[in-house]
Amino acid sequence: MPVMVVVLCCLAIAYRYYSAFLAAKVAALDDNRITPASRLNDGQNYHPTNKWVLFGHHFAAISGAGPLIGPVLAIQYGFAPGLVWLVIGVCLAGAVQDMLVLTASVRRDGKSIAEIARHELGYPAAIIASVAILFIVIIALAGLGFVVVKALGGEEVKLPPGMTVTLPDGAERPLPQPKPGERDFYTLPPGCTVRYSDKSAASNRPEAFTVSVPAGTPLFAQGDIPKALDEAERLADRGGGTTVIAPVRTATLPAGCTQVVPGSSWGTFTIACTIPIALLVGLWMYRIRPGQVVEASLIGGFLTLAAVVAGNWVPGSPLERYFSLTRDQTIVTLGVYGFIAAVLPVWLLLGPRDYLSSFLKIGTVALLVVSVCVANPALQAPPVNEVFLNGGPTFPGQIFPFVFICIMCGSISGFHSLVSSGTTPKMIEKESHIRTIGYGAMLIEGLVGVVALIAAAALPSELYYAINVPIDQERRYQKQLDEVYDRYGVKLPPEANDPAHAANVDAPAHLDLGKVEEKVGGESLRGRTGGAVTLAVGMSVVFEQAFRWLGVTGEWLLKYWYHFAIMFEALFILTTIDAGTRIARFLFQETAGRVYTPFGRPDWLPGAALASAVVTGGWCWLVHTGSIMTIWPMFGIANQLLAVMALALVTTWLVNHGRGRYAWVTIAPMLFVCSTTLTAGVKVVLIESGKDTTVGYLNAGLTVFVITCVATLLFWSAARWLTVWLGWGKPDGTPNPHGAA
């Protein structure tokens, strides 16, 4: 609670004073200027929009996976580094970038930062910026999409070959559940004992789980005793002196086995419902009852909440098979939705859906803030985790510079510059709205990052790593994990194992994986890497603890909050994917328009459809072939390099328009982000190229390409600044006729 109060005070002071300085002195916002939304109103992309509706759209578009997942993954380094970076970064870097890019775009007819580069630096710079941004945004969308797939889609977690599973006493051997021509599935009961290798210690799996094996491979073969079989399986007949072999209760897994985790039908159903609800709200505000924003908001808010509640009844019903999607089905569905949202008019689906989503997003974040203050959970994670300072299971690489790459969107995100120069500037009604929308929305995203960090840090270390360590990697990290548990784990007295002395066993500090899986309705949580499941568990524990303080208790509570959190995360990220795909479509059309003029028109349907198809196909392919360990670092580096590019271009815009004396507000964060990102980029290239795989070389090549483009544009911008500051050129961009003199 004290952490939350201090953070809220810092954000309030930054908005009250620093954003006012930026608005009055640096950007010089003026409502007398006619915005492009009014001057170029076409009812399609340019459309004057109510300030708070646009705030909702902008916040929904910029707030994706970053502020939710990054802080959760960074907990392996401890909570203090991420907390400090979130607060300082959002106030002095992220919100500054968003607000000034939005201002520059509004002054340039709502054009993208690539077009801003053309106006400020010339055509060659625009081409470099366009190509780099297009690559970066596809990588960013892949990172966002991957988290949605992890939260909603079913997945198969790899199991190490040679792993042994011993059934508990009294349990019957499971029978295979075959699928013709595919694989056999075995559902193992709670209480199984597993060994991940011959050299690892046995551990208990308190949850039931399903194992997928190659078709025709028996998991338990009668009379076939594996070498790792416990001696208790050999029963001696004392009377006759003979040895009787008991039925085999231990299985050794062959290569190619996986643990099957079903998709979230509740979350998928609720998110699917928001699409027709958004269409209704858009039609209500602009066609049925034009201008009636309050009416549309009430209708949309009520229907969205009703969809959340109704989703509770989908699991176990006949509808479940339609909404419980596999990983590949989720990727295809996500791609189809992104394509449709990018092509339809912005007022019909994208704007109202993001506005509706913002109700749920901001409402849930506010509820989390209040719940943290009420529950006041202890931070179980250490301030600095010395065991994983050089990298660990959730994120590879040392604490510097990778903590700044792991946590990006909550502090500063280059992806935001695409929204601030994409859909939002085309809908700004008055310039004074830029301060609230540009700076204010970013502060709320920083707050999202802080509450996500607190929710994850409140989980016991044993529970956090049980979820975040891949099952097939447990042996690799076991020694370090034992050290973490010894240093930072919950220390219970010996008598705590005696049920007669058990007290406060449901406290968050005492929760283990088995208890949590039981409380959330039998969900399998072990090895669910990626951060989405960890955050859902952390949020649900904080909510349950806060409501318990208010007198609301029950076993159903944690289950409800867990599924609500999964749905919330997916909805949070999905609104960024649809806006991001639309922005990438604009970028593609702008670039292709230089070759074939009709492509440059945003309202030309064939061009819009082709550009949207190329973009969605690109990021869907990356999601299909990647993993969180490959996509997230590459996403972080590409995202931060885009922030460096955006800050460099905004600095050039300030210098060219005679406001170079304020360039320090963008140069300082640009230099810091540039130093951390380039250092991380070099390390990631070495890691990826060392894998000696096609995907590894592709990831390394993309990273090198983006670094080269951004470095070129950065030097180009710096040359322009020096040209003006040394008096060799005028601030408006024309050459000085008197030369150096």
Side-chain angles (χ1 to χ4, degrees), residues 90 117 193 274 326 334 346 348 372 376 382 406 414 474 500 503 513 545 577 602 634 681 730:
V90 72
T193 301
T274 62
T326 65
L334 205 56
V346 69
L348 182 60
V372 167
N376 193 21
C406 187
E474 287 212 15
L513 187 69
Q545 197 176 4
I577 290 177
M634 191 168 63
K730 292 182 179 180

Side-chain angles (χ1 to χ4, degrees), residues 104 107-108 119-120 650-661 720 724 730-733:
R107 302 272 174 85
R108 289 293 186 188
H119 283 284
E120 307 301 333
V650 168
T651 305
T652 306
W653 172 72
L654 290 172
V655 170
N656 282 348
H657 290 79
R659 312 194 73 78
R661 62 186 180 277
R720 175 60 192 159
V724 174
K730 292 182 179 180
D732 63 1

Side-chain angles (χ1 to χ4, degrees), residues 23-54:
K25 300 293 185 181
V26 181
L29 301 180
D30 184 2
D31 281 347
N32 290 324
R33 289 191 181 95
I34 301 176
T35 63
S38 299
R39 184 161 38 84
L40 304 174
N41 187 358
D42 60 4
Q44 190 87 336
N45 298 297
Y46 290 88
H47 191 273
T49 306
N50 177 276
K51 174 182 177 180
W52 296 112
V53 173
L54 187 55

Side-chain angles (χ1 to χ4, degrees), residues 136-437:
I136 290 171
V137 73
I138 290 176
I139 293 170
L141 289 170
L144 299 171
F146 189 86
V147 179
V148 175
V149 172
K150 292 285 286 186
L152 289 182
E155 60 177 317
E156 295 195 12
V157 181
K158 292 181 180 179
L159 298 175
M163 168 181 162
T164 61
V165 181
T166 303
L167 298 175
D169 293 338
E172 295 184 1
R173 291 188 303 165
L175 298 176
Q177 304 161 18
K179 287 187 177 180
E182 296 183 13
R183 298 169 68 84
D184 292 340
F185 295 84
Y186 291 84
T187 300
L188 301 173
C192 289
T193 301
V194 301
R195 277 194 187 92
Y196 296 103
S197 70
D198 292 338
K199 297 180 180 179
S200 64
S203 60
N204 183 263
R205 291 287 297 263
E207 80 281 8
F209 59 101
T210 301
V211 174
S212 168
V213 302
T217 303
L219 197 60
F220 293 91
Q222 181 70 33
D224 177 18
I225 307 176
K227 294 180 180 179
L229 187 61
D230 193 276
E231 286 298 320
E233 295 290 347
R234 304 176 182 272
L235 303 180
D237 182 355
R238 297 178 184 273
T242 58
T243 300
V244 179
I245 304 301
V248 173
R249 306 184 60 78
T250 299
T252 300
L253 273 58
C257 292
T258 59
Q259 179 179 325
V260 180
V261 180
S264 173
S265 56
W266 184 349
T268 304
F269 170 82
T270 303
I271 290 171
C273 288
T274 62
I275 297 174
I277 294 172
L279 292 171
L280 173 62
V281 169
L283 290 171
W284 193 279
M285 283 195 294
Y286 297 111
R287 293 293 184 268
I288 300 173
R289 297 269 290 170
Q292 297 299 318
V293 176
V294 176
E295 283 184 13
S297 301
L298 292 175
I299 293 171
F302 172 78
L303 292 176
T304 301
L305 290 176
V308 173
V309 175
N312 182 37
W313 297 307
V314 173
S317 73
L319 292 175
E320 183 178 14
R321 63 193 184 99
Y322 298 107
F323 293 101
S324 183
L325 304 179
T326 65
R327 182 180 187 273
D328 290 343
Q329 288 172 339
T330 306
I331 293 173
V332 172
T333 304
L334 205 56
V336 170
Y337 168 74
F339 173 83
I340 293 173
V343 173
L344 287 179
V346 69
W347 62 266
L348 182 60
L349 177 60
L350 194 66
R353 188 180 186 282
D354 290 354
Y355 177 56
L356 281 176
S357 300
S358 67
F359 277 108
L360 185 60
K361 289 183 175 185
I362 296 175
T364 303
V365 171
L367 183 61
L368 263 173
V369 171
V370 174
S371 296
V372 167
C373 293
V374 171
N376 193 21
L379 297 179
Q380 303 291 326
V384 177
N385 188 339
E386 297 180 1
V387 178
F388 287 127
L389 286 181
N390 294 318
T394 67
F395 207 83
Q398 300 170 334
I399 187 171
F400 181 88
F402 284 101
V403 74
F404 303 102
I405 304 303
C406 187
I407 298 178
M408 44 189 158
C409 298
S411 298
I412 180 171
S413 168
F415 183 82
H416 294 188
S417 67
L418 302 181
V419 181
S420 295
S421 64
T423 54
T424 303
K426 297 177 177 63
M427 297 187 280
I428 288 283
E429 197 172 21
K430 297 179 180 179
E431 279 201 357
S432 60
H433 296 175
I434 291 175
R435 178 190 175 193
T436 303
I437 294 168

Side-chain angles (χ1 to χ4, degrees), residues 656-674:
N656 282 348
H657 290 79
R659 312 194 73 78
R661 62 186 180 277
Y662 297 116
W664 57 269
V665 302
T666 52
I667 289 179
M670 182 197 72
L671 291 176
F672 179 79
V673 175
C674 186

Side-chain angles (χ1 to χ4, degrees), residues 26 43 153 253 358 385 512 524 557 582 701 736:
V26 181
L253 273 58
S358 67
N385 188 339
D512 60 24
S524 182
L557 201 57
R582 191 179 189 88
N736 190 337

Side-chain angles (χ1 to χ4, degrees), residues 477-664:
Y477 292 107
Q478 193 59 56
K479 184 177 179 181
Q480 291 172 294
L481 291 173
D482 290 340
E483 187 177 352
V484 169
Y485 302 152
D486 182 60
R487 285 193 185 190
Y488 312 117
V490 178
K491 304 297 191 299
L492 296 177
E495 59 269 19
N497 294 322
D498 183 356
H501 293 84
N504 199 23
V505 294
D506 287 333
H510 298 163
L511 286 175
D512 60 24
L513 187 69
K515 291 177 183 176
V516 173
E517 289 179 325
E518 181 182 346
K519 283 174 171 285
V520 299
E523 292 281 336
S524 182
L525 305 179
R526 187 181 299 272
R528 299 289 300 278
T529 59
V533 172
T534 308
L535 178 59
V537 173
M539 287 174 58
S540 58
V541 168
V542 170
F543 283 146
E544 186 196 36
Q545 197 176 4
F547 277 74
R548 181 185 299 175
W549 188 86
L550 296 173
V552 181
T553 60
E555 287 296 322
W556 57 272
L557 201 57
L558 195 68
K559 175 183 176 181
Y560 179 85
W561 284 124
Y562 171 79
H563 288 282
F564 174 82
I566 287 289
M567 180 275 305
F568 162 76
E569 290 175 35
L571 185 64
F572 207 96
I573 299 164
L574 202 58
T575 51
T576 310
I577 290 177
D578 53 24
T581 303
R582 191 179 189 88
I583 292 164
R585 172 207 134 189
F586 289 152
L587 290 169
F588 188 92
Q589 287 189 262
E590 282 182 2
T591 306
R594 298 187 180 98
V595 179
Y596 183 59
T597 304
F599 258 115
R601 288 171 25 212
D603 58 349
W604 190 50
L605 186 58
L610 179 60
S612 301
V614 171
V615 171
T616 53
W619 62 257
C620 283
W621 180 81
L622 284 174
V623 173
H624 178 71
T625 58
S627 68
I628 193 68
M629 296 291 283
T630 59
I631 287 181
W632 199 261
M634 191 168 63
F635 170 33
I637 289 169
N639 194 46
Q640 301 303 71
L641 284 173
L642 182 54
V644 171
M645 181 191 295
L647 289 169
L649 291 174
V650 168
T651 305
T652 306
W653 172 72
L654 290 172
V655 170
N656 282 348
H657 290 79
R659 312 194 73 78
R661 62 186 180 277
Y662 297 116
W664 57 269

